Amino acid sequence: MGQTRLDKRICDSGRWTRSEARALIRAGRVLVDGTVARSPEEKYPDAASITVDGAPLDCRRTRYLMLHKPAGLLSATEDRDQPTVLDLLSPELRRLGLFPVGRLDKDTTGLLLLTNDGDFAHRVTAPKSRVPKRYLAVVDGALDESDAAALEAGITLGDGTQCLSAHLERTERADTGYVTVYEGRYHQVKRMLAALGKPVLRLHRARIGALALDPALAPGQYRELTEAERAALFRQTENGSK
Ligand code: URA
């Protein structure tokens, strides 16, 4: 089992900087397995239980958030001129090195995952993982059976790119449908529907694999994934690990 310096573990929680963590320890506010710790440098087993002012410390190093992305924000960690989805997070979470798993366009809303687990992000986005992504698209025009058939056959984009088979589920509204894609090309849904002469007016991601956007989250809100949600999505990426 690994061992980690106490000040580092406290800092990894995202709530305090390394120097704040040292000050907490020196002030006797940190207990390790029930005993006051005095030395920031001391290493403890990763399974040791740590409290600060009596409250258990959340030492998970890897975090997984689902965000209901609103329109108007970039799916990036920083930008010189425009707000990004990271601006929605609490200061504690912003210290943890989280980044978006794949991208949604600035005007696209819906499910966006944020993590600091590079392997997880890679597996969810790797083309060979074939994790389905389901979007609700409102188009200028009416979606019909020939669009569904063309998507199923695989659209050739304007630049000659051949897309994998995708699925269209029509709704009661002719201008609205659920499109499921199994890859993540740049502006993919917009470009596929544009190729069918049905330009997208609004796009919202409803689902990534087993994970649906939590309806309790208003635009701009986020929550941690449960362990079961994270594990279910991870299992769906098994092709992407090879
Ligand atoms: N496809 C698009 O065209 N835009 C998105 O934001 C996501 C998928």
Side-chain angles (χ1 to χ4, degrees):
M1 184 192 306
Q3 299 218 337
T4 310
R5 277 176 62 127
L6 186 55
D7 55 354
K8 178 165 185 339
R9 272 194 70 187
I10 293 174
C11 174
D12 281 347
S13 73
R15 294 191 57 197
W16 296 279
T17 63
R18 194 82 162 234
S19 58
E20 287 166 346
R22 287 190 196 118
L24 288 170
I25 297 163
R26 296 212 174 93
R29 293 165 62 186
V30 178
L31 269 59
V32 180
D33 289 335
T35 303
V36 176
R38 294 286 176 193
S39 164
E41 302 81 32
E42 187 155 351
K43 289 186 174 178
Y44 290 94
D46 291 343
S49 89
I50 299 174
T51 61
V52 178
D53 294 334
L57 186 73
D58 187 352
C59 289
R60 284 170 298 169
R61 293 190 194 153
T62 46
R63 296 293 186 94
Y64 308 87
L65 303 181
M66 75 155 69
L67 167 73
H68 185 163
K69 181 191 173 295
L73 297 182
L74 297 181
S75 299
T77 50
E78 56 187 351
D79 188 84
R80 276 178 50 183
D81 307 313
Q82 300 186 62
T84 76
V85 290
L86 267 286
D87 294 329
L88 295 168
L89 303 185
S90 68
E92 287 85 12
L93 288 170
R94 255 182 275 152
R95 288 198 199 124
L96 295 181
L98 296 161
F99 56 88
V101 178
R103 279 168 191 271
L104 290 179
D105 297 336
K106 186 176 170 186
D107 59 354
T108 300
T109 59
L111 177 57
L112 185 66
L113 296 176
L114 298 165
T115 188
N116 52 6
D117 179 343
D119 179 53
F120 176 83
H122 173 75
R123 288 173 61 143
V124 171
T125 53
K128 63 182 172 181
S129 293
R130 297 273 189 274
V131 174
K133 287 144 201 124
R134 181 171 157 94
Y135 294 87
L136 186 64
V138 179
V139 300
D140 184 5
L143 294 164
D144 56 33
E145 275 312 308
S146 69
D147 296 322
L151 286 162
E152 214 71 57
I155 298 281
T156 307
L157 299 177
D159 64 359
T161 304
Q162 181 61 46
C163 295
L164 291 177
S165 174
H167 183 71
L168 171 67
E169 182 187 325
R170 292 162 64 206
T171 69
E172 283 167 6
R173 289 188 53 129
D175 66 351
T176 304
Y178 285 99
V179 178
T180 301
V181 295
Y182 298 85
E183 53 189 339
R185 296 179 187 281
Y186 181 64
H187 293 328
Q188 176 153 4
V189 176
K190 290 177 185 167
R191 289 197 294 158
M192 286 192 318
L193 292 175
L196 295 172
K198 314 279 163 74
V200 169
L201 301 176
R202 284 201 306 279
L203 195 61
H204 175 89
R205 184 153 66 190
R207 179 176 276 278
I208 301 174
L211 194 65
L213 178 64
D214 186 336
L217 294 176
Q221 292 185 326
Y222 57 87
R223 69 161 171 82
E224 304 247 5
L225 295 190
T226 65
E227 180 50 27
E229 287 172 332
R230 190 201 62 77
L233 185 53
F234 195 73
R235 272 199 301 279
Q236 285 193 293
T237 67
E238 258 147 28
N239 292 330
S241 65
K242 296 175 191 115

